[in-house]
Amino acid sequence: MSGTRSDARDDPGESAEADNDRPTFDLRARAVETVVLVASVIVLRLSGLLLMVASSYGLGSFDAFMPLVAMVFDPNVLVWIALAAAVQFGLRSMGRPGRWALIVLAAPVAVVVVNAVRGIPSLGTAGLGALFGNPVAWIDAGILALVVALGIAFSAAALGGERRTSSRIAGVLLALGGLLTLLLVWQWIAANLAIWGSRPAPTPEQENLYVVTAAVTLAALVGAIVFAAFSRRRGLIIASCIVGCLGLIITFAVPVPTDRFAPEPPPAPTAPTEPGGGGGGNSCMSPGDPNCVGG
């Protein structure tokens, strides 16, 4: 038995076959994959911020563009890029699904790390609330994680080997539809948020903008599902269907105005009464009133 094992270890053909079965690390391919992923996330984040500015202030408000462009490279994104690069080049033997799942999880981790560093000066007075009690940071973590997930969906479609044209189109439409879905939520918040007083009534421009955005969102998501079906890539089809269903639900869940699809019934008409408050048959309010019967 020992001789057989020794012969197997010394057999050069078997050793070569074992080496071929072992996954190899391609530095160039991993670098291209990382660049595409990071670039797609940055482009999606920049596009989302510009769409938010355009929908809130109009395309002529260039004064707000530069601060929002600077937000693309805020510390949260920079820390996420560092974590994503560590996962991509540090976990060489891990498959792509596992690495990309960790990269999505790295988005909230990056926000927590940045928020923790910012809260160190006030740690003595605010305690752990300075590190983990900022609700804006958690909202930013959720948004960044969603943008990273959309960037991964596009990267997976763009880097696929088979039927690349239909896959890339599906990836672009999927990312666009997901981004516009987030924009619908922002438009609903902008139209209904009131810090003080009662909720304001949406303007006609906000109502028309919702209709246009909702139509483009649904068209992009339907197109993503169609092109994903043409690509015959199971993962892309599942991702397109999930994002499409979520986009459809959110589109009808955050309408502008809020009663667009379920308008309130008109108030019931009240029966006219006599000037003295009696319930008689004469409905005259004053001389010459057209409601007067017989005079």
Side-chain angles (χ1 to χ4, degrees):
M1 181 67 68
S2 60
T4 304
R5 291 180 179 176
S6 177
D7 293 340
R9 284 195 300 265
D10 295 338
D11 187 0
E14 184 174 345
S15 301
E17 185 177 351
D19 292 339
N20 291 333
D21 294 338
R22 186 179 305 153
T24 59
F25 176 73
D26 189 346
L27 179 60
R28 181 178 179 276
R30 191 66 60 87
V32 171
E33 179 182 300
T34 306
V35 170
V36 171
L37 175 59
V38 172
S40 62
V41 171
I42 292 177
V43 169
L44 286 173
R45 186 174 173 87
L46 175 61
S47 301
L49 292 172
L50 295 182
L51 287 174
M52 287 170 55
V53 172
S55 62
S56 300
Y57 305 102
L59 294 175
S61 58
F62 292 102
D63 294 338
F65 279 177
M66 293 310 298
L68 288 177
V69 171
M71 287 177 60
V72 177
F73 297 98
D74 65 354
N76 296 330
V77 177
L78 295 179
V79 173
W80 172 81
I81 292 175
L83 293 176
V87 171
Q88 285 286 90
F89 296 100
L91 304 177
R92 298 186 176 186
S93 60
M94 181 177 288
R96 180 182 289 179
R99 285 185 285 106
W100 283 3
L102 291 178
I103 288 175
V104 174
L105 294 177
V109 171
V111 177
V112 170
V113 170
V114 172
N115 189 57
V117 173
R118 289 173 175 173
I120 288 177
S122 58
L123 184 61
T125 57
L128 293 178
L131 302 181
F132 307 106
N134 188 357
V136 177
W138 289 108
I139 294 175
D140 194 12
I143 295 175
L144 181 58
L146 291 175
V147 173
V148 171
L150 293 175
I152 285 177
F154 169 77
S155 301
L159 297 173
E162 298 179 356
R163 301 178 181 272
R164 300 183 65 177
T165 301
S166 57
S167 298
R168 288 175 177 176
I169 296 176
V172 170
L173 293 177
L174 178 60
L176 177 62
L179 195 65
L180 291 177
T181 301
L182 296 178
L183 183 62
L184 284 173
V185 177
W186 166 258
Q187 291 177 357
W188 182 84
I189 294 175
N192 295 279
L193 181 63
I195 300 177
W196 303 105
S198 59
R199 185 173 60 186
T203 62
E205 291 78 10
Q206 291 174 327
E207 296 181 9
N208 296 334
L209 185 61
Y210 164 79
V211 174
V212 174
T213 307
V216 177
T217 301
L218 295 178
L221 294 176
V222 171
I225 295 175
V226 171
F227 281 98
F230 283 138
S231 69
R232 298 181 182 178
R233 296 181 60 181
R234 182 178 303 176
L236 188 58
I237 294 174
I238 294 175
S240 300
C241 291
I242 292 175
V243 176
C245 292
L246 291 176
L248 181 64
I249 294 172
I250 293 176
T251 299
F252 289 96
V254 291
V256 179
T258 55
D259 59 347
R260 173 180 292 274
F261 302 111
E264 297 181 359
T270 57
T273 59
E274 292 184 355
N282 190 3
S283 60
C284 292
M285 301 299 294
S286 61
D289 191 342
N291 293 323
C292 291
V293 180

